[in-house]
Every structure is written in structure tokens, then in C-alpha cells.
Amino acid sequence: DTGVSQDPRHKITKRGQNVTFRCDPISEHNRLYWYRQTLGQGPEFLTYFQNEAQLEKSRLLSDRFSAERPKGSFSTLEIQRTEQGDSAMYLCASSFTGTLTQETQYFGPGTRLLVL
Amino acid sequence: AQSVSQHNHHVILSEAASLELGCNYSYGGTVNLFWYVQYPGQHLQLLLKYFSGDPLVKGIKGFEAEFIKSKFSFNLRKPSVQWSDTAEYFCAVLNTGFQKLVFGTGTRLLVSP
């Protein structure tokens, strides 16, 4: 399977703990996105990378959240001092931007986080 | 800021019925439009997309959508649904020059056999 992969698929943690999620994009995709989806809502944008550069962060991304894409391939999303409100599905997507402005984002299966 | 409205939150249809799901967005300009589908237990998959050209676009599994710029709409249609179309459908908009997709809240479709 050459799609976007995410690990772990499920995470249960206690409030106050730190968690880290990993995303592996489709090979050769230069853009990588993180979204968050809560029950009954569509995905909401958190941040995105072009290669290793983080180019935009949503106001949803508090200072407890940090994302990296150190070598322009996989990415990690860390949440420090988790709160119950962080419980959600965290989605990763990737895309390739060439010379055209047309871009399609392909999504991974997500990591479902439950904070107790 | 861009917002996307999907007015039908839940739709129940019998097999062979026709489907139309509404999608409206708030902010004009040049837009790229998408419908994604999430089947039970699976991840978001691209159903169809519009970038430019013919406003009637065809996607997988017999779905199509029509972009009506004057109405800021991109409604999804299928002439005859099947039980296997049971899923959640998300409309998403990307304004060119901005990289983030803005999603609607989704429509849950249940097709009864």
C-alpha cells in the first residue's frame, strides 16, 4: 500500500501526559498537512509543511502542540500536557505540487486520541 | 474566512433512489472544490474534484457534481444509489493561494436495501 500511513491508529492517555503521532506521506509528496476532526464535524486544518518548512499554523494549534518534518519526509505531531478537549481524530494528508496550481490532498487513516 | 455549508446532515434513501447532496461555500474568488467520502471504518477518500473547465465533473462510482459559480455551490449527485454508498460525505473548498482545505460538517447517507 503506497498511501498515507499514520501511527498509532488509536491512543488512550491520561490528562497531562504527552503524546506523539507519526505520519508517513505518499512517497515524493512535498506537502504534508495535519487536520483535526471531532465528532459531528468535518476536518479542521492545523498546520502544513512544504518539504521540511512549516509554512502555516492554525490558531487551533496552541503552544502545547508542535509539529515537525525534519527531513521533508515523515512528520510528527506532539501534544504536551494533554487535555480532555484534545480528544479527537488527528488526520494527516499529503499532496504534490508541481508547476500547476492544481493540488489534491490524500488522507491517511488518522490517529484517534482519547484523553481520560 | 471561507466556510462550507452542507445542509443535509442525515439522509436516508432506498436503493435505486436518486441522490443530491448540497454544498455551498461563502467566499468567492478562484476555488478548487472537492467531495470526499468516508465509508464505515475507512479513511477519507477522494470522490471527485473540480479545478477548472467543464463545471460538471464526474467521479468514481457513478457520482457527479456541478459547480455553479453564481450560487457558490457544488452539489453532489448520483442517479441511483446502492447500499454500498452508505457513508459520510464531505464537501471541501480550497481557495487558490491558500493551502488549507475547508470542510463542511458532512452528510451521513444511509441507503437501505
Side-chain angles (χ1 to χ4, degrees):
Chain A
D1 183 27
T2 57
V4 178
S5 61
Q6 293 186 244
D7 184 70
R9 297 288 304 275
H10 303 272
K11 179 70 177 179
I12 300 174
T13 191
K14 293 182 179 179
R15 189 178 55 186
Q17 298 294 305
N18 299 343
V19 294
T20 300
F21 310 141
R22 177 181 169 123
C23 171
D24 287 87
I26 293 171
S27 179
E28 297 179 357
H29 276 192
N30 56 346
R31 282 190 179 161
L32 186 148
Y33 300 79
W34 286 99
Y35 291 81
R36 182 171 67 186
Q37 185 177 17
T38 53
L39 210 58
Q41 300 297 318
E44 294 175 290
F45 171 81
L46 292 178
T47 188
Y48 92 97
F49 294 83
Q50 177 144 329
N51 300 313
E52 64 275 8
Q54 188 174 16
L55 297 185
E56 187 176 348
K57 293 196 292 185
S58 162
R59 285 172 290 179
L60 292 175
L61 215 64
S62 76
D63 55 7
R64 296 184 297 105
F65 288 71
S66 62
E68 295 182 340
R69 193 183 184 199
K71 298 181 180 179
S73 56
F74 73 91
S75 175
T76 57
L77 178 68
E78 181 183 17
I79 310 174
Q80 296 183 323
R81 307 181 302 280
T82 53
E83 301 173 356
Q84 288 181 327
D86 298 330
S87 296
M89 175 75 88
Y90 290 84
L91 297 169
C92 178
S94 70
S95 69
F96 175 75
T97 56
T99 55
L100 300 176
T101 58
Q102 299 172 355
E103 175 190 348
T104 300
Q105 296 180 25
Y106 296 91
F107 284 81
T111 295
R112 187 172 293 281
L113 172 66
L114 177 61
V115 181
L116 301 175
Chain B
Q2 181 68 268
S3 65
V4 179
S5 298
Q6 291 183 245
H7 305 293
N8 312 103
H9 297 294
H10 294 89
V11 173
I12 302 174
L13 294 173
S14 298
E15 274 193 315
S18 63
L19 170 72
E20 181 160 3
L21 300 182
C23 172
N24 288 88
Y25 59 95
S26 62
Y27 177 72
T30 304
V31 291
N32 295 338
L33 300 159
F34 305 83
W35 276 97
Y36 285 86
V37 60
Q38 188 165 26
Y39 297 103
Q42 297 187 27
H43 60 280
L44 276 170
Q45 301 172 35
L46 182 69
L47 198 56
L48 49 78
K49 58 189 176 184
Y50 171 81
F51 291 132
S52 63
D54 188 344
L56 184 63
V57 293
K58 296 190 184 299
I60 61 172
K61 303 186 180 184
F63 286 89
E64 65 179 31
E66 184 175 13
F67 170 48
I68 303 179
K69 189 173 182 178
S70 61
K71 295 186 177 180
F72 295 81
S73 71
F74 189 55
N75 292 354
L76 181 71
R77 299 195 293 249
K78 186 172 183 178
S80 176
V81 295
Q82 300 174 313
W83 176 78
S84 58
D85 294 324
T86 293
E88 190 159 18
Y89 294 81
F90 292 93
C91 180
V93 177
L94 190 150
N95 281 84
T96 55
F98 298 88
Q99 269 58 58
K100 63 179 183 180
L101 280 171
V102 178
F103 284 84
T105 53
T107 297
R108 284 187 183 271
L109 171 66
L110 175 62
V111 180
S112 58

